[in-house]
Amino acid sequence: AQQVVESGGGLVQAGGSLTLACTIRDLRDYIMGWFRQAPGKEREWVSSITWTGGSTYYGDSVKGRFTISRDNANNTMYLQMNSLKVEDTAIYYCVAALGPVGTWSSASEYNYWGQGTQVTVSS
């Protein structure tokens, strides 16, 4: 099975920034994305990026604040999170799809998931 590893989570004050990273072998073969899940809430799609990074997609709650990017040469994908809010607190999961993806926000479209990294935003 393919191994997906997230890093970069932590504690940050509201209004601050944080960058998550995700590594997977042969990254160029996958459409990549992020989901998150807060305590007591349903899992929420955050963002996705196509194989070469030519197209990016965002959930409404993060649009304009988060930026997804990828570095295929180094097998790493990133999520730059700015203007963080308390409601962004969640476990963030990196996901990978062999593709193509029909519905970006559908968890079933993604073949591989990481273990998750905790992001906590304090007020």
Side-chain angles (χ1 to χ4, degrees), residues 2 17 19 46 53 57 65 83 92 97 99 104 106-107 113:
Q2 183 63 279
S17 298
T19 300
V46 175
Y57 305 89
R65 301 187 298 121
S83 301
Y92 284 70
W104 298 107
S106 175
W113 291 65

Side-chain angles (χ1 to χ4, degrees), residues 20-52:
L20 304 182
C22 173
T23 59
I24 182 173
R25 189 179 71 246
D26 297 326
L27 178 77
R28 65 184 178 278
D29 293 339
Y30 301 94
I31 288 172
M32 300 297 295
W34 294 92
F35 281 76
R36 68 185 183 184
Q37 188 162 20
K41 294 188 177 181
E42 291 190 356
R43 183 169 48 197
E44 177 189 13
W45 170 70
V46 175
S47 180
S48 295
I49 185 168
T50 52
W51 289 281
T52 61

Side-chain angles (χ1 to χ4, degrees), residues 28-105:
R28 65 184 178 278
D29 293 339
Y30 301 94
I31 288 172
M32 300 297 295
W34 294 92
F35 281 76
R36 68 185 183 184
Q37 188 162 20
K41 294 188 177 181
E42 291 190 356
R43 183 169 48 197
E44 177 189 13
W45 170 70
V46 175
S47 180
S48 295
I49 185 168
T50 52
W51 289 281
T52 61
S55 295
T56 57
Y57 305 89
Y58 298 93
D60 289 340
S61 62
V62 305
K63 201 171 295 182
R65 301 187 298 121
F66 290 11
T67 303
I68 191 170
S69 62
R70 63 192 294 161
D71 179 353
N72 287 348
N74 290 301
N75 288 329
T76 305
M77 188 260 294
Y78 302 96
L79 184 69
Q80 172 70 42
M81 305 184 293
N82 297 328
S83 301
L84 283 162
K85 304 175 181 180
V86 172
E87 51 263 43
D88 293 318
T89 296
I91 299 174
Y92 284 70
Y93 298 93
C94 176
V95 297
L98 290 166
V101 172
T103 303
W104 298 107
S105 60

